[in-house]
Amino acid sequence: MSSRSKTVANSGHALERLRILLGTVPTGGELRLPPERELAEEIGVGRRALRRALEVLEDEGLIWRRQGKGTFGGSEQVSSTLRVNNLAEFTNPLEVIEVRITIEPVLARLAATKATPALIQQLERLAAKAKESTDTDSWELWDGAFHRKIAEAAGNQLFILFIGMIEQIRQNDAWRHFRERTRSVGRTTLSIQQHNDVIEAIRRFHPAEAEAAMREHLISLRTALIEAMQSADIPRAGKATSAKEQDSKKKSFTTEGMK
């Protein structure tokens, strides 16, 4: 990794860069990560963003700490990070949420057929972390980890790759600023309750209910997204819907965060 002088205040960016790094480790091998200060500089993020990303990876079991020796990681599962950085320039947030509505309810259904106490505990912990978030960056990080864990629980590596691609696309700066406009106290409260509904259905081994709960959650997100696009006067379809073409509109957005 090369050093970057400009830092990016985005934990999701740090998380994806770390996933790329861990994906280079041969199966069964391990890698000692550089000290936090050095790693943050190499990735190009602040130490706060780095620590948040490391916390997610540690919770997923992809990195571990050894007393007095440092932090280590490996690549025991298929990496879900693909080179899709430029794809965000040719799609738009509405297309992405439509793909999520198609895929993620199926993943929730599959997860409900394979639920274990350990999975339920992990989902509850990730949902709680999202609930405790005090800013948009933290919410995006833990919300993404929650949805990714459900994909992993479904046990289909191709689905996991798709979810990884979607998450990477959603880290586009223009999109992140835009999604902040969809956040509000009511919107966040509803998402928290919907996360709990998905967990409860998976806990009770109810595939159909888990699928329905996830679909309801994502459809409500699509509704909020459409409302935000309308308020920003961004067309729902057509040529000027890519993240690149929306960049000029982004400058007029107000970063509202999680009010």
Side-chain angles (χ1 to χ4, degrees):
M1 293 181 297
S2 60
S3 175
R4 288 170 46 180
S5 59
K6 183 179 179 181
T7 61
V8 180
N10 178 356
S11 301
H13 172 79
L15 184 60
E16 290 304 323
R17 289 295 303 273
L18 288 170
R19 289 195 192 282
I20 291 173
L21 175 62
L22 295 176
T24 65
V25 183
T27 301
E30 67 177 29
L31 170 71
R32 181 180 179 183
L33 298 180
E36 279 189 8
R37 183 184 301 278
E38 180 182 339
L39 187 58
E41 182 179 352
E42 290 184 0
I43 292 178
V45 297
R47 295 184 69 178
R48 183 186 182 195
L50 176 66
R51 286 170 182 163
R52 283 178 168 179
L54 289 172
E55 186 178 355
V56 171
L57 292 173
E58 186 172 17
D59 193 75
E60 292 179 349
L62 296 179
I63 64 171
W64 56 92
R65 305 177 192 275
R66 292 176 182 166
Q67 187 66 32
K69 294 185 177 181
T71 302
F72 296 79
S75 57
E76 297 179 349
Q77 60 183 12
V78 176
S79 171
S80 64
T81 302
L82 301 179
R83 296 182 179 277
V84 293
N85 294 328
N86 295 331
L87 188 55
E89 297 183 4
F90 303 100
T91 185
N92 60 72
L94 189 57
E95 288 183 347
V96 170
I97 194 64
E98 288 173 346
V99 170
R100 294 183 66 192
I101 290 172
T102 301
I103 294 177
E104 293 194 44
V106 176
L107 298 178
R109 185 185 71 208
L110 293 173
T113 68
K114 304 177 182 181
T116 64
L119 171 64
I120 298 303
Q121 290 175 2
Q122 289 174 320
L123 289 176
E124 288 177 337
R125 184 165 57 251
L126 294 172
K129 290 284 189 180
K131 181 179 179 180
E132 294 165 3
S133 298
T134 57
D135 57 81
T136 301
D137 180 64
S138 179
W139 171 271
E140 294 276 351
L141 186 72
W142 292 107
D143 176 68
F146 174 81
H147 285 268
R148 182 187 180 92
K149 178 56 65 176
I150 291 176
E152 291 175 353
N156 186 305
Q157 294 297 329
L158 189 55
F159 276 141
I160 295 173
L161 288 173
F162 284 149
I163 295 300
M165 291 173 64
I166 290 171
E167 280 303 302
Q168 194 171 356
I169 292 170
R170 293 176 70 228
Q171 293 309 317
N172 178 278
D173 285 342
W175 289 29
R176 291 184 68 255
H177 285 294
F178 176 70
R179 287 200 309 278
E180 288 174 354
R181 294 174 58 87
T182 70
R183 297 295 176 194
S184 66
V185 172
R187 170 68 260 165
T188 300
T189 300
L190 178 59
S191 287
I192 290 170
Q193 180 57 55
Q194 290 171 336
H195 283 174
N196 291 336
D197 291 343
V198 172
I199 294 174
E200 185 59 26
I202 293 175
R203 183 202 315 277
R204 294 187 293 110
F205 296 98
H206 278 272
E209 290 184 15
E211 180 176 3
M214 180 62 81
R215 181 172 289 108
E216 180 180 354
H217 173 46
L218 295 172
I219 288 176
S220 70
L221 291 179
R222 180 177 63 183
T223 299
L225 179 63
I226 291 173
E227 291 174 353
M229 294 175 76
Q230 291 173 338
S231 68
D233 195 28
I234 296 176
R236 290 178 56 182
K239 182 178 180 181
T241 56
S242 73
K244 185 175 182 180
E245 291 165 321
Q246 291 173 22
D247 191 58
S248 60
K249 289 182 177 289
K250 157 184 112 167
K251 296 177 182 178
S252 65
F253 293 168
T254 299
T255 303
E256 299 177 0
M258 297 177 65
K259 299 179 288 186

